[in-house]
Amino acid sequence: METILLAVDGSAHAGRAVQYAARLGSLLRDIEVVVLNVQPSIHDWQMHGVTREHIAKHHADAARQTLDQAVAPLQAAGIRAQREVRHAEDPGAMIVQVAREKGATMIVMGSRGMGAIASLALGSAAQKVIHLSAVPVLIIK
């Protein structure tokens, strides 16, 4: 069975990556897509009455919503999809780590995410994944 890691963050580019992965998956047989959302690490601090628990709930809700939006088109296309949420300071490195853990033969992701600071050509997570990955990386504009 082929395993594709699909990294999503709720951005428009990630949405296009989901659509492409669904088309790709419908062409291949015996495929599973691991849909990954990387949330920021939760630090042990409290600020202006916002507790660690509030932050954790916000991140869990955001991850669930992002994954629901990504998994629905895959399942509609008859593709097996596994949900995965991780927390990391460096999303690009985490994407590559999960790809290794899951035995992914390809990583699919959008070219630019929802991060506030992005480079001119590609988002910083996409650049990091291209640099670190041992498997092919498909970047969707």
Side-chain angles (χ1 to χ4, degrees), residues 77-122:
I79 299 165
R80 287 187 298 266
Q82 173 188 0
R83 298 162 190 254
E84 187 80 25
V85 177
R86 297 289 177 97
H87 294 268
E89 293 294 325
D90 184 347
M94 180 57 72
I95 291 166
V96 173
Q97 177 182 324
V98 173
R100 272 194 304 264
E101 290 173 10
K102 300 293 182 177
T105 55
M106 175 186 282
I107 299 170
V108 177
M109 64 186 295
S111 61
R112 296 183 79 103
M114 295 183 66
I117 301 173
S119 68
L120 295 175
L122 289 175

Side-chain angles (χ1 to χ4, degrees), residues 33-110:
V33 177
V34 176
V35 185
L36 171 67
N37 177 252
V38 180
Q39 291 288 316
S41 293
I42 301 170
H43 299 285
D44 290 323
W45 54 269
Q46 184 173 340
M47 183 173 154
H48 303 291
V50 179
T51 65
R52 185 178 197 277
E53 290 75 26
H54 285 103
I55 295 168
K57 182 180 180 333
H58 171 75
H59 287 192
D61 291 345
R64 185 174 32 262
Q65 180 180 9
T66 299
L67 291 173
D68 286 349
Q69 290 174 349
V71 168
L74 297 171
Q75 290 177 334
I79 299 165
R80 287 187 298 266
Q82 173 188 0
R83 298 162 190 254
E84 187 80 25
V85 177
R86 297 289 177 97
H87 294 268
E89 293 294 325
D90 184 347
M94 180 57 72
I95 291 166
V96 173
Q97 177 182 324
V98 173
R100 272 194 304 264
E101 290 173 10
K102 300 293 182 177
T105 55
M106 175 186 282
I107 299 170
V108 177
M109 64 186 295

